[in-house]
């Protein structure tokens, strides 16, 4: 293997957090020799697919409550020390516009504009980029890091920032392979789960509802009926489970433990007696209608039929509404407020937007530096932190990249 000794800071991973780290550290000290290694043929592959090609570059709200995982402990300090997404990109000449719920997009509405801003700035600052260069092993000897690559090169560096991502969207290069050699360094990833994914349930409960959307308050419970988390929003039914932003957010919030079941409250804000009253009003207006049409208008027709079937009413859907009894009206009202779906699993890594879990907070210090190996820093999705849908995970990528760059720079300032 050929030895290269020309690097001060080696950044493993040319994704969002790696590019942000490289730019920030080079801006802090233009004399530092900074090199990014990327296993793909070009950097930023995952950036190009975010936001359906528009790149939901961040979220202006930046609520700490939108993040989950052990590393959340350090978020206030990280936020205080770094630029927000919009300010970070404005320094590169990239303008953003705001959309619903604080979501930020580039003014061009093209993810390529975001990647171009990062690439052009990296080139302008003289950052070396080595693509098709996967790191296969890392060790530290006599104060220097030695990184073996898949193309028979050993890179020597004084400090290393690991920003290689997790397991989500492996087609973009985030296949988790780095966690194998990280174990040899004494680091361990915890609670690894595909996050921001569909939650699977019994197909007989959802197959007939495929493609239908309904607004609800969705609550996740564990096997002991303990409430884990809740989200409001639009639920989308798929052939095998439940999706929609609110459900996907729950898949990120509820990883340890996984939810045992979801409860949909279809008329949030309504008390049980109010719903019963609404149903009696429908009864009066539709007494001669077929039962299958009873709830149509209050909910999509197929949703109404499923609610009736799950209410254990011993009537045919062709029977008239007037045959409903008081107890059956109350049963229907009850399921409108507590429509339960067992959770049998979650979408896989190919469908995941982000990785939940990762390097835990007890293996790093407040600078996101390894407690085991000084000079080794972590950024982005490698760490045990994930955000909700809506740009929060890219917020974390830009912020954590900037932050480790500042802290890593202190090594050379002393």
């Amino acid at each position: 293997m050929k030895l290269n000794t020309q690097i001060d800071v080696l950044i493993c991973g040319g994704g969002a957090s790696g590019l942000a780290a490289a730019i920030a550290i080079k801006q802090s000290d233009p004399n530092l020799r900074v090199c990014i290694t990327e296993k793909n043929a070009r950097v930023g592959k995952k950036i190009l697919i975010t936001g359906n090609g528009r790149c939901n570059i961040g979220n202006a709200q930046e609520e700490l409550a939108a993040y989950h995982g052990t590393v959340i402990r350090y978020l206030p300090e990280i936020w205080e020390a770094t630029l927000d997404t919009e300010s970070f990109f404005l320094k590169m000449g990239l303008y953003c516009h705001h959309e619903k719920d604080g979501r930020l997009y580039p003014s061009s509405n093209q993810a390529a504009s975001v990647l171009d801003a990062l690439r052009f700035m990296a080139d302008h600052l003289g950052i070396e980029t080595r693509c098709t260069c996967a790191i296969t092993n890392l060790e530290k000897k006599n104060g220097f890091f030695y990184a073996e690559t898949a193309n028979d090169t050993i890179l020597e560096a004084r400090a290393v920032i690991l920003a290689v991502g997790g397991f989500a969207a492996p087609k973009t290069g985030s296949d988790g392979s780095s966690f194998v050699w990280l174990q040899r360094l004494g680091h361990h990833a915890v609670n690894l789960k595909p996050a921001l994914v569909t939650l699977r349930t019994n197909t007989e409960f959802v197959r007939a509802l495929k493609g239908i959307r309904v607004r609800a308050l969705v609550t996740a419970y564990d096997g002991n009926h303990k409430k884990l988390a809740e989200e409001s929003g639009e639920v989308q039914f798929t052939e095998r489970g439940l999706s929609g932003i609110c459900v996907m957010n729950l898949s990120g919030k509820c990883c340890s433990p996984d939810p045992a079941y979801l409860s949909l409250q279809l008329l949030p804000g309504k008390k049980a007696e109010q719903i019963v009253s609404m149903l009696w009003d429908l009864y009066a207006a539709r007494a001669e209608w077929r039962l299958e049409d009873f709830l149509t208008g209050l909910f999509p027709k197929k949703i109404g039929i499923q609610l009736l079937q799950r209410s254990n009413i011993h009537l045919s859907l062709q029977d008239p509404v007037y045959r409903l009894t008081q107890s059956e009206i109350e049963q229907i009202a009850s399921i409108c407020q507590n429509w339960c779906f067992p959770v049998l699993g979650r979408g896989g890594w190919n469908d995941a937007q982000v990785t939940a879990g990762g390097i835990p907070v007890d293996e790093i210090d407040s600078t996101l530096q390894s407690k085991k190996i000084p000079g080794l820093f972590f950024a982005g999705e490698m760490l045990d932190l994930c955000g909700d849908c809506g740009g929060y995970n890219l917020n974390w990528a830009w912020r954590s990249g900037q932050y480790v760059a500042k802290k890593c720079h202190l090594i050379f300032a002393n």
Side-chain angles (χ1 to χ4, degrees):
M1 285 189 172
K2 180 181 177 182
L3 180 64
N4 184 312
T5 59
Q6 303 301 310
I7 300 169
D8 290 315
V9 183
L10 174 64
I11 299 175
C12 304
S17 58
L19 287 165
I23 290 168
I25 200 164
K26 195 69 172 175
Q27 288 173 331
S28 298
D29 188 344
N31 295 318
L32 288 178
R33 295 161 296 184
V34 179
C35 176
I36 299 173
T37 60
E38 168 57 48
K39 70 188 300 182
N40 290 316
R42 62 177 299 182
V43 297
K45 187 173 182 179
K46 195 170 183 179
I47 294 172
L48 292 176
I49 66 172
T50 59
N52 293 318
R54 294 175 60 211
C55 192
N56 183 188
I57 195 173
N59 197 297
Q61 296 179 0
E62 294 200 320
E63 301 166 348
L64 297 186
Y67 294 92
H68 321 286
T70 58
V71 181
I72 195 172
R73 179 191 309 175
Y74 296 138
L75 286 192
E77 181 178 344
I78 294 170
W79 259 231
E80 180 68 25
T82 56
L83 294 173
D84 62 68
T85 296
E86 196 165 5
S87 299
F88 176 66
F89 278 97
L90 190 58
K91 290 184 68 175
M92 300 179 214
L94 184 78
Y95 288 85
C96 300
H97 68 268
H98 297 235
E99 293 192 5
K100 184 180 178 181
D101 301 325
R103 295 168 188 252
L104 294 172
Y105 289 86
S107 291
S108 66
N109 270 329
Q110 292 184 327
S113 298
V114 178
L115 181 54
D116 283 346
L118 293 164
R119 289 193 307 110
F120 296 158
M121 180 58 77
D123 290 344
H124 171 72
L125 294 171
I127 296 167
E128 180 185 356
T129 302
R130 299 190 181 199
C131 293
T132 61
C133 184
I135 303 299
T136 58
N137 194 38
L138 182 71
E139 57 183 10
K140 188 176 184 182
K141 297 178 182 177
N142 302 319
F144 288 88
F145 289 93
Y146 296 89
E148 296 180 16
T149 73
N151 54 8
D152 294 328
T153 300
I154 296 179
L155 305 176
E156 181 183 304
R158 296 167 62 190
V160 173
I161 297 173
L162 290 181
V164 294
F167 291 80
K171 291 181 180 179
T172 65
S174 299
D175 59 5
S177 57
S178 298
F179 287 104
V180 175
W181 47 261
L182 267 175
Q183 287 186 354
R184 295 196 286 267
L185 295 174
H187 280 288
H188 306 86
V190 299
N191 300 326
L192 291 169
K193 299 280 179 66
L196 306 190
V197 291
T198 296
L199 293 176
R200 292 190 292 105
T201 190
N202 191 323
T203 56
E204 70 176 277
F205 294 159
V206 292
R207 188 183 297 115
L209 303 176
K210 180 181 178 181
I212 294 177
R213 301 169 185 261
V214 64
R215 296 198 63 81
L217 172 64
V218 187
T219 307
Y221 292 91
D222 68 11
N224 295 317
H225 309 293
K226 178 183 176 182
K227 178 179 171 179
L228 299 175
E230 66 180 23
E231 284 275 330
S232 293
E234 191 175 68
V235 177
Q236 179 179 351
F237 293 91
T238 72
E239 190 172 13
R240 301 181 63 196
L242 282 70
S243 189
I245 290 175
C246 58
V247 174
M248 294 170 73
N249 282 344
L250 287 174
S251 77
K253 287 182 177 182
C254 306
C255 291
S256 182
D258 280 323
Y261 65 96
L262 301 180
S263 170
L264 273 58
Q265 190 174 350
L266 297 180
L267 296 168
K270 300 284 187 185
K271 295 180 180 179
E273 57 268 25
Q274 290 176 303
I275 299 174
V276 170
S277 178
M278 290 173 64
L279 295 180
W280 278 120
D281 288 343
L282 281 178
Y283 178 97
R286 300 177 174 181
E288 302 291 339
W289 293 23
R290 292 177 302 181
L291 188 60
E292 66 177 358
D293 299 319
F294 178 45
L295 300 176
T296 301
L298 185 59
F299 308 113
K301 181 173 180 176
K302 289 185 177 180
I303 294 286
I305 289 173
Q306 289 295 311
L307 291 172
L308 292 169
Q309 292 177 336
R310 294 282 292 277
S311 296
N312 297 317
I313 294 171
H314 301 295
L315 292 173
S316 164
L317 291 174
Q318 304 305 311
D319 285 335
V321 169
Y322 67 75
R323 293 192 60 186
L324 286 171
T325 65
Q326 180 173 339
S327 64
E328 288 172 334
I329 289 287
E330 291 172 354
Q331 285 174 231
I332 298 169
S334 176
I335 200 167
C336 286
Q337 291 299 81
N338 187 28
W339 190 13
C340 293
F341 296 83
V343 175
L344 305 182
R346 57 177 63 217
W349 291 116
N350 287 330
D351 303 315
Q353 293 186 29
V354 70
T355 303
I359 303 298
V361 73
D362 58 4
E363 293 187 8
I364 57 173
D365 63 23
S366 62
T367 70
L368 305 186
Q369 181 176 200
S370 168
K371 289 182 177 179
K372 302 171 184 291
I373 307 168
L376 177 63
F377 296 82
F378 298 95
E381 201 173 333
M382 295 199 73
L383 291 161
D384 180 20
L385 189 91
C386 73
D388 291 344
C389 293
Y392 291 103
N393 288 292
L394 277 178
N395 272 353
W396 166 240
W398 316 128
R399 291 276 202 171
S400 62
Q402 293 176 71
Y403 186 73
V404 293
K406 288 188 173 187
K407 300 304 180 181
C408 180
H409 178 249
L410 296 177
I411 295 175
F412 303 94
N414 295 330

